[in-house]
Amino acid sequence: MKKFSQLDLPQTSAVFDMAVIGGGATGLGVALDASLRGLSVVLFESNDFASGTSSRSTKLLHGGVRYLAQGNVSLVREALAERKTVMHIAPHLAQPLAFVMPAYSCWEKMTYGAGLKVYDLLAGQQGLGHTKVLNRNETQAALPGVRAEHLNGGVLYWDGQFDDARLALTLARSAQDAGAKVFNHCRVQAITPINDQTEHDPSNQDSKPLRAPNPARFSLQVEDVFSGDTREVKARCVVNAAGVWVDGIRHMAGTESTRRIVSPSQGVHIVVARALLPTDHALLVPKTDDGRVLFAVPWLGSTILGTTDTPREDAPHEPLPFEHEVEFILSQSSKILSRPVTRQDVKSVWVGLRPLVTPEKSNGGTKTISREHTIVVDESGLITVTGGKWTTYRVMADDVMKAAVSHGLIKNNVPCATSTMRLHGAPQSQSISITQSPGEHLFGTDIERIRLIEGFDQPIGMGLNEAMVRFSAREEFTVTVEDMLARRWRALFLDAKQALSMAPRVAAILESETGLDPKLDNFELLCHQYQLAR
């Protein structure tokens, strides 16, 4: 297990081309992009990769049907192209998914059909399938369990689905393969601009200071959360990709601007048994009672119901659902399904905070705020990137690189290569179904190595075995029970009660592999929180 320590980094005289703060989709995407261009890169994540927003999405690679309704054609077109790219570079983690919009009037069916035909046109050659208008019987066959009363028909269209936390981990491992140094559970405690623009030749202790052609601009003080070890790391360019917490990083770096970049918005997801909607098709209600969108998405053997869009002033690492959010999802789901959804049906409930870009003026709440990303370069040279969505993480990374070059923070003319480079573990071809229960495909080609590890024939639960846990500790930066059962294997997100029963055995295996405290008590508390809506 490779953990952060003073032995893991070069001598303090060495300077990284780029330091990235934040191990979510955006930060990991930047680290991979920069590494493939030949830059020396280090990334620090204070918790675990994708432990914030990036593991709590609706698991969709999509252009955004609702963004099309808002008239944001450019964002939709960009995202539609990107969803196909992600499926190509990570075929073991992403796949096409058919959606059905049930219609309860002829007018709804015509309107939905026309809008989704435009969606197809915007996708062009990157499309995943053709939109089809369904009659009543076809809709009921595609969505068994949907409310039949007054059902007129529906519209079927295609988008994408993926495993967000596994894709984030795969980006981390791909960046590492490309030469980046990536560390989870390592907290940046301080960021200090460097005024002394000189460097020494580390091979000659008696050398005189020379004017550096591209000097270090920042010094970062970094702490290993487990060992308490601290280390100074110097970098020519620092990218702040801390998601909803980017404003705190800017403040740490001494940014004088008082304007907040991020307006956090909370999204709640509820997981129920597949029996409530026994199909591999997803359901989308484009307009609920209060104008929001409702999804019912098959994922890893269960069904995800969501989501909400509730503004927050704070940004806790483990946000809890508000009572009215739980009631909203249950009540709206009960209106569209033939059987009411109750608290007793809930297997897990989890919350993500969206890092929405704060507009100059907004009078429509966070649901009206653009999902496009923004990049800000402060006077010190700190680059902050936030906003956007999982589907377009590659575009965000490329835009960060362009900003770094245009502001003279790095010198690099190598073009972006992330659109064609298949990610770590990607097989040449593979037919998968992320709608089914968790399976070996989540490890990609690494599964062949896992089969050789002791304990492959020792099941733990939900498809997980002892060898998978050992491999994750040795190769996938896994330290805590939460790392393993929330993000390496999605047990906590699928069934909190079952995850709780698996936790002691996983903790024992991790501790035997790493020698570190797997924080079992913390995970047990988290399991109870994820059952809060019961």
Side-chain angles (χ1 to χ4, degrees):
M1 178 66 192
K2 297 180 179 178
K3 281 303 297 167
F4 172 67
S5 74
Q6 294 195 12
L7 298 177
D8 291 323
L9 290 171
Q11 297 298 316
T12 55
S13 57
V15 178
F16 285 94
D17 292 321
M18 179 177 288
V20 181
I21 303 173
T26 307
L28 292 167
V30 170
L32 175 58
D33 193 333
S35 298
L36 290 174
R37 298 180 198 233
L39 300 177
S40 59
V41 179
V42 63
L43 177 145
F44 300 108
E45 162 58 44
S46 62
N47 197 286
D48 182 32
F49 302 125
S51 59
T53 305
S54 294
S55 63
R56 303 158 192 256
S57 73
T58 315
K59 321 306 176 196
L60 301 179
L61 289 169
H62 62 126
V65 171
R66 53 182 166 168
Y67 310 144
L68 182 61
Q70 295 169 2
N72 199 334
V73 174
S74 61
L75 176 62
V76 173
R77 190 191 301 273
E78 178 181 78
L80 286 172
E82 286 301 307
R83 72 178 182 183
K84 190 66 173 290
T85 298
V86 176
M87 291 181 194
H88 170 70
I89 63 177
H92 54 313
L93 297 174
Q95 67 176 28
L97 178 67
F99 279 75
V100 175
M101 283 188 186
Y104 289 87
S105 71
C106 184
W107 172 252
E108 279 187 344
K109 186 162 64 173
M110 292 173 56
T111 303
Y112 297 165
L116 290 168
K117 289 290 186 181
V118 174
Y119 200 58
D120 279 358
L121 290 173
L122 289 175
Q125 295 183 344
Q126 305 300 319
L128 304 176
H130 296 294
T131 292
K132 180 182 178 182
V133 177
L134 307 178
N135 61 32
R136 176 187 171 93
N137 290 338
E138 290 171 328
T139 302
Q140 287 182 300
L143 296 176
V146 74
R147 178 170 61 86
E149 185 181 3
H150 304 306
L151 181 66
N152 184 273
V155 181
L156 181 149
Y157 74 99
W158 291 86
D159 250 322
Q161 183 179 49
F162 74 128
D163 188 308
D164 49 9
R166 290 297 307 186
L167 182 56
L169 174 67
T170 301
L171 289 173
R173 300 194 69 199
S174 299
Q176 185 182 55
D177 292 344
K181 292 185 175 293
V182 294
F183 301 101
N184 58 346
H185 300 292
C186 289
R187 182 185 300 115
V188 175
Q189 295 181 313
I191 306 171
T192 306
I194 298 176
N195 296 319
D196 179 15
Q197 303 294 289
T198 59
E199 291 183 350
H200 293 264
D201 178 0
S203 65
N204 184 353
Q205 299 299 321
D206 298 324
S207 66
K208 293 182 180 180
L210 301 173
R211 183 70 182 178
N214 192 11
R217 291 183 176 85
F218 293 95
S219 170
L220 282 66
Q221 194 74 17
V222 185
E223 178 192 27
D224 182 326
V225 172
F226 282 86
S227 70
D229 290 343
T230 60
R231 183 67 181 275
E232 181 188 26
V233 176
K234 293 180 181 179
R236 297 182 175 93
C237 176
V238 173
V239 176
N240 172 16
V244 293
W245 300 282
V246 293
D247 287 316
I249 298 297
R250 294 180 76 215
H251 179 74
M252 182 190 298
T255 300
E256 295 182 0
S257 171
T258 57
R259 179 177 175 270
R260 264 194 337 178
I261 293 181
V262 169
S263 295
S265 166
Q266 175 163 298
V268 175
H269 297 82
I270 286 175
V271 176
V272 297
R274 181 66 63 86
L276 283 168
L277 190 66
T279 176
D280 283 347
H281 292 75
L283 179 154
L284 172 61
V285 178
K287 192 173 184 180
T288 57
D289 290 348
D290 66 351
R292 285 184 278 190
V293 173
L294 179 72
F295 290 101
V297 179
W299 183 63
L300 296 179
S302 296
T303 298
I304 300 173
L305 304 176
T307 179
T308 59
D309 201 338
T310 306
R312 289 193 71 134
E313 289 298 319
D314 59 344
H317 182 76
E318 194 59 61
L320 298 176
F322 297 117
E323 182 67 21
H324 67 86
E325 293 178 299
V326 174
E327 288 300 324
F328 167 80
I329 294 175
L330 293 178
S331 64
Q332 295 300 310
S333 299
S334 296
K335 288 182 178 181
I336 196 67
L337 299 179
S338 58
R339 180 173 86 72
V341 185
T342 69
R343 290 174 179 265
Q344 284 66 44
D345 294 311
V346 177
K347 297 165 68 179
S348 184
V349 54
W350 33 275
V351 184
L353 298 178
R354 305 179 187 92
L356 303 183
V357 179
T358 303
E360 293 293 340
K361 295 181 181 180
S362 177
N363 54 13
T366 52
K367 65 184 178 183
T368 66
I369 296 178
S370 172
R371 266 53 176 175
E372 293 181 279
H373 64 276
T374 191
I375 296 173
V376 175
V377 181
D378 293 325
E379 290 183 2
S380 64
L382 177 72
I383 300 177
T384 296
V385 54
T386 194
K389 58 196 183 107
W390 241 118
T391 309
T392 55
Y393 82 89
R394 261 194 358 92
V395 174
M396 295 170 69
D398 187 28
D399 286 349
V400 167
M401 298 303 298
K402 291 175 181 175
V405 171
S406 66
H407 284 80
L409 301 172
I410 60 174
K411 296 180 180 179
N412 188 279
N413 295 318
V414 178
C416 177
T418 57
S419 64
T420 55
M421 193 209 81
R422 293 166 75 85
L423 298 179
H424 182 98
Q428 289 303 310
S429 63
Q430 184 169 338
S431 177
I432 64 169
S433 180
I434 296 177
T435 62
Q436 301 304 315
S437 299
E440 297 177 359
H441 69 271
L442 294 174
F443 288 99
T445 57
D446 282 335
I447 192 62
E448 298 306 321
R449 297 172 58 197
I450 297 174
R451 293 180 190 278
L452 302 177
I453 298 174
E454 64 275 17
F456 192 80
D457 59 348
Q458 298 296 316
I460 296 175
M462 299 182 72
L464 183 68
N465 63 49
E466 182 178 315
M468 292 173 176
V469 179
R470 294 191 183 281
F471 178 82
S472 288
R474 296 172 189 177
E475 303 287 342
E476 295 185 337
F477 312 97
T478 305
V479 184
T480 71
V481 179
E482 182 187 340
D483 295 346
M484 187 69 232
L485 292 181
R487 289 172 291 278
R488 307 301 183 272
W489 207 253
R490 311 311 300 276
L492 176 63
F493 283 70
L494 293 168
D495 191 327
K497 185 176 180 180
Q498 191 168 353
L500 182 62
S501 69
M502 297 162 62
R505 189 170 173 193
V506 169
I509 297 170
L510 289 176
E511 188 167 10
S512 71
E513 288 286 337
T514 68
L516 299 172
D517 177 9
K519 298 187 177 181
L520 176 60
D521 291 346
N522 291 1
F523 184 74
E524 290 175 340
L525 175 62
L526 202 58
C527 287
H528 291 299
Q529 291 178 352
Y530 275 55
Q531 299 179 70
L532 186 67
R534 288 184 181 273

